[in-house]
Amino acid sequence: MTEARPDGRSANSLRPLSCELGCLQAADGSALWKAGNTHVLAAVHGPIAPRIAMEEHAEAFRIQVVIQTSSSNCSEWEAFLTRILTSCCCTQLYPRCILSITIHVLSHDGSILAAALHAAVSALMDAGIEMRTLPVGVTCLLLNPDILLDPTQVEEDESASLMLVLENSDADQILACYSSSSLNQSIHNILKCSVVAARVSQAISAFWRIAVESKVKRQCETIFS
Amino acid sequence: MLQSHSRADGRLLAQYRKTTIQQGVLSKHASGSALVSFRNDENQDESTSILAAVTLQVGQPMCTAAFPAGRGDIDVTVSSFKEDDSINISVLQSYLQRTLDVCAQEALEDSISTGEDNHYHPLLLVPAKAAIGLVVTVKILQNAGNVGDAALLACIAALMDTKIPCREHGISLDEKTGRIWWQPKGYDAERTKEGNIATGCRCSERGETQHKMRFPLLPLPVTVGLYCSETSELEDKRRNWLVDPSSAEECSMSTMITMVVDGHAPEQILLLDFCPSFGENNRICSLRTKDLALVAQIAKARAEELKRILVA
């Protein structure tokens, strides 16, 4: 039987989610994503013309991701998120432009990369950037034989974690993967994570819908009240 | 290339370039060193060459909540011989740091006298007081693709070439001076009562008693590229796999998958990283579960081959 986690959750449950769209007036799109005590703020600026002509691509816009955090893996995370978001956005709609995404980690309590991805996607939705698919990231902690989802910092310090990015909440469409340190697991256990993650990612997709609907409803009330 | 199943450099899709590993190339200046090359026999000018050197230091370990006694560190620094926009140095450094961290992990040692299992950290000398720090310097001499695999292999070979002081002999720390003393075999503990420091043996970086590093886990990498074409109607036919991509091939891949497995038990996966590439076709190509199972088989075979080359 699985032991209860320090915060009382079961192995397959996420921390309480919160998403506030449009929290920054100066940005073209912004989002504050909270998962338990992990708080991440993302701001989108663009598409705008680049300052240096060499940075532009003739056929598509370029995405730049900057993550403000004290973690030593910052540069890897930036490259990882840049590639995922570039593949998911319809970049051919804005040629010769740059889209700048700045991510601030306000509070660090585990599963930072997934929270950063969700905050960036939420900010892109707020900015009205068209996307082919919504990537959903789920962090899994592999403790034989259990798989713990959405681990906190205390849990991540004890064991290695694996973040899977799924496309369309489908276990058989894994867009990207990032492992924090030594997993020492068989491929069978890793594939089990994708099945568990797919179930949970549907909840995150549904939560996004609620967040966008509440934002649109709030804006309509303001305009027509 | 896809129709003929051969590449621009003449290799088949499942064919690796010739891997050569030379250890001890900088034996005068470094504690351990290695030169790794991925070379194509037909065109020897285009090869990926990486040089790694290890420097040994002894100091006070960093004690954390996870490791209250400390455990020693392996720090990696990467640089390139000439400027190359295709390599992101900071990303490569972070990847190597994350992977080499497994080498400082806890190991299991059988005690011959008592027959019990003893957990220990290979780099920890005196708990909370003294540990070994290894600084690995990686130099990219030439880049013809698959730099990540070559760099990790060079680091592992250099660490295997490094000699560290033995733990089997008694280790004591003189807290006043900060010096570490190794007691040689047959040393009589009664002599210390005389208070004569000269009876001890002074520690140096290459001490009298040293041995090559033993790895509890041996990380061995493989990078596989996936190219998704739109020509075929069948999903399986659209996917084309190739191993050990060259720098020209890396630009056109849909996804690059890097899997690091344990050389002692190749079924165990230590690291799994993949994300979409900036391919020319800009088409999303997600992986399926059977794709990952295929990559695991490729990684297992490659790890066995690399282990044979390292041990030889």
Side-chain angles (χ1 to χ4, degrees):
Chain A
M1 182 181 292
T2 310
E3 291 178 4
R5 296 164 76 170
D7 51 8
R9 286 185 286 152
S10 66
N12 288 348
S13 60
L14 301 176
R15 289 175 287 183
L17 297 176
S18 161
C19 178
E20 184 186 340
L21 296 175
C23 49
L24 296 176
Q25 298 299 321
D28 294 312
S30 58
L32 176 61
W33 182 274
K34 294 181 183 177
N37 289 333
T38 295
H39 301 169
V40 179
L41 176 68
V44 167
H45 296 273
I48 54 175
R51 287 183 189 175
I52 305 170
M54 281 174 57
E55 289 184 352
E56 65 181 34
H57 285 173
E59 295 170 356
F61 72 63
R62 221 171 125 242
I63 292 181
Q64 283 178 340
V65 176
V66 174
I67 302 179
Q68 305 286 349
T69 179
S70 56
S71 172
S72 56
N73 296 332
C74 201
S75 53
E76 263 197 301
W77 291 352
E78 286 173 355
F80 184 72
L81 290 181
T82 302
R83 286 171 185 252
I84 293 174
L85 295 174
T86 303
S87 66
C88 292
C89 291
C90 297
T91 54
Q92 71 279 4
L93 294 178
Y94 306 98
R96 300 180 185 276
C97 289
I98 275 190
L99 192 74
S100 174
I101 305 175
T102 308
I103 298 172
H104 293 265
V105 178
L106 304 176
S107 174
H108 192 322
D109 190 26
S111 304
I112 285 294
L113 192 53
L117 174 64
H118 295 150
V121 172
S122 305
L124 286 170
M125 282 197 284
D126 186 49
I129 302 295
E130 195 172 324
M131 301 177 79
R132 293 192 199 98
T133 181
L134 286 181
V136 179
V138 181
T139 310
C140 307
L141 198 77
L142 291 143
L143 290 174
N144 287 331
D146 301 315
I147 297 172
L148 303 183
L149 296 183
D150 195 17
T152 59
Q153 186 61 46
V154 168
E155 290 169 334
E156 279 188 338
D157 285 341
E158 291 176 5
S159 182
S161 63
L162 177 76
M163 193 190 95
L164 291 170
V165 180
L166 301 180
E167 185 188 355
N168 298 326
S169 303
D170 188 348
D172 218 26
Q173 288 186 317
I174 308 170
L175 191 59
C177 175
Y178 181 89
S179 42
S180 62
S181 60
S182 169
L183 296 170
N184 206 8
Q185 298 285 336
S186 65
I187 187 66
H188 175 68
N189 288 343
I190 291 174
L191 294 178
K192 268 201 298 186
C193 290
S194 67
V195 175
V196 175
R199 277 188 242 130
V200 166
S201 64
Q202 290 170 2
I204 296 175
S205 299
F207 175 77
W208 258 326
R209 189 176 183 87
I210 295 170
V212 172
E213 281 176 353
S214 66
K215 180 210 169 189
V216 170
K217 189 178 172 186
R218 194 172 64 239
Q219 284 182 338
C220 288
E221 284 173 356
T222 307
I223 292 170
F224 297 109
S225 60
Chain B
M1 172 188 83
L2 299 173
Q3 287 169 356
S4 62
H5 293 281
S6 67
R7 309 193 211 179
D9 53 10
R11 285 186 288 154
L12 297 174
L13 297 181
Q15 187 177 353
Y16 297 92
R17 285 173 286 183
K18 186 180 174 187
T19 306
T20 54
I21 303 176
Q22 293 171 266
Q23 289 176 310
V25 290
L26 298 174
S27 53
K28 280 186 185 174
H29 307 284
S31 304
S33 55
L35 175 66
V36 168
S37 299
F38 290 167
R39 183 168 288 136
N40 198 332
D41 286 334
E42 289 191 2
N43 187 355
Q44 302 216 356
D45 291 335
E46 286 189 6
S47 66
T48 298
S49 297
I50 310 284
L51 177 67
V54 176
T55 310
L56 188 147
Q57 300 169 345
V58 177
Q60 191 162 6
M62 191 166 61
C63 300
T64 59
F67 303 104
R71 61 170 191 166
D73 288 312
I74 299 178
D75 289 323
V76 183
T77 311
V78 179
S79 60
S80 179
F81 185 63
K82 50 185 175 181
E83 282 193 22
D84 191 340
D85 291 335
S86 63
I87 305 173
N88 190 327
I89 296 286
S90 55
V91 170
L92 178 61
Q93 187 168 309
S94 182
Y95 158 69
L96 292 174
Q97 184 71 62
R98 198 164 36 111
T99 314
L100 292 179
D101 199 44
V102 310
C103 298
Q105 278 196 348
E106 200 174 68
L108 199 61
E109 172 186 64
D110 292 330
S111 174
I112 298 171
S113 55
T114 61
E116 292 173 352
D117 291 341
N118 179 29
H119 291 266
Y120 75 102
H121 288 288
L123 301 179
L124 186 63
L125 300 175
V126 180
K129 298 284 174 70
I132 296 172
L134 297 173
V135 179
V136 184
T137 308
V138 177
K139 196 79 173 174
I140 302 169
L141 302 177
Q142 200 172 358
N143 173 25
N146 206 6
V147 168
D149 282 7
L152 180 58
L153 212 50
C155 293
I156 294 295
L159 286 171
M160 287 175 76
D161 186 49
T162 304
K163 286 187 177 176
I164 60 173
C166 279
R167 292 179 59 258
E168 285 79 15
H169 300 280
I171 297 173
S172 57
L173 176 69
D174 183 349
E175 296 202 25
K176 282 184 188 173
T177 59
R179 286 188 182 136
I180 295 177
W181 302 92
W182 267 261
Q183 296 166 0
K185 281 183 184 176
Y187 180 73
D188 187 0
E190 290 297 317
R191 290 188 189 178
T192 56
K193 291 181 183 174
E194 296 171 2
N196 188 355
I197 295 176
T199 57
C201 57
R202 183 163 294 182
C203 168
S204 61
E205 284 184 356
R206 293 176 181 268
E208 292 180 327
T209 51
Q210 54 185 4
H211 64 89
K212 292 209 172 177
M213 271 195 71
R214 296 178 209 129
F215 292 87
L217 298 170
L218 183 66
L220 297 174
V222 70
T223 295
V224 179
L226 170 65
Y227 179 80
C228 285
S229 63
E230 298 180 359
T231 50
S232 174
E233 291 179 357
L234 292 171
E235 181 65 30
D236 281 344
K237 293 281 184 185
R238 275 188 233 147
R239 293 166 175 268
N240 301 281
W241 297 93
L242 55 85
V243 299
D244 190 14
S246 63
S247 42
E249 290 163 351
E250 280 176 345
C251 301
S252 54
M253 290 294 111
S254 304
T255 306
M256 297 279 286
I257 304 141
T258 297
M259 189 179 280
V260 179
V261 298
D262 180 12
H264 301 310
E267 312 81 33
Q268 297 295 103
I269 298 169
L270 300 180
L271 218 77
L272 176 59
D273 285 347
F274 60 90
C275 63
S277 297
F278 298 121
E280 291 172 353
N281 55 9
N282 201 22
R283 192 171 170 273
I284 296 178
C285 195
S286 307
L287 291 191
R288 301 164 302 180
T289 49
K290 59 180 180 180
D291 294 333
L292 288 179
L294 172 65
V295 174
Q297 286 178 6
I298 296 172
K300 185 179 172 184
R302 177 66 171 163
E304 285 164 1
E305 182 190 339
L306 287 176
K307 193 176 176 188
R308 272 197 301 272
I309 299 173
L310 275 170
V311 169

